[in-house]
Amino acid sequence: MNKVLVLHGPNLNLLGSRQPEIYGHETLADIDNALRQQALLAGWEIACRQSNHEGELIDAIHAARLDGTAAIIINPAAYTHTSVAILDALNAFEGRVIEVHLSNVHKREAFRHHSYVSLRADGVIAGLGSRGYALALEAVIEAATG
């Protein structure tokens, strides 16, 4: 069975209550549950993880290199703009990588316009809210099935 790992970075555990005017009203559990349903219907295995700790996200990427994971969908959140370490870990992963952002980072503060993760990502989806995750999973599945 094809496997995909969904990684959510710092502060995304606060979705639904943190700045809903930017990030929406859905919770992280809502997003993960919708992705699980979508993956199940496509016959894919999915694991969703959130961490506020850079090292835990890196460890999850390293584990994905060894467990047959075909793709990583990642919203690195604030680590997008700061983490060369996450970039390095993703560069060691051979599967597809899709970067997702709930908000349109290019309409926000200038420091959010640069992404280290984009240097590795096969695709980037920003500004479509939680729908961006579903589109990322759809793209991963389509790429794998031709």
Side-chain angles (χ1 to χ4, degrees), residues 37-85:
Q37 288 292 345
Q38 182 181 352
L40 180 66
L41 289 173
W44 278 61
E45 182 180 336
I46 192 166
C48 301
R49 294 187 56 184
Q50 186 278 329
S51 181
N52 294 316
H53 305 282
E54 184 178 33
E56 288 182 14
L57 296 168
I58 292 166
D59 288 344
I61 296 165
H62 289 180
R65 294 179 64 228
L66 305 173
D67 70 4
T69 296
I72 295 173
I73 297 169
I74 183 170
N75 181 343
Y79 289 137
T80 302
H81 323 291
T82 64
S83 184
V84 174

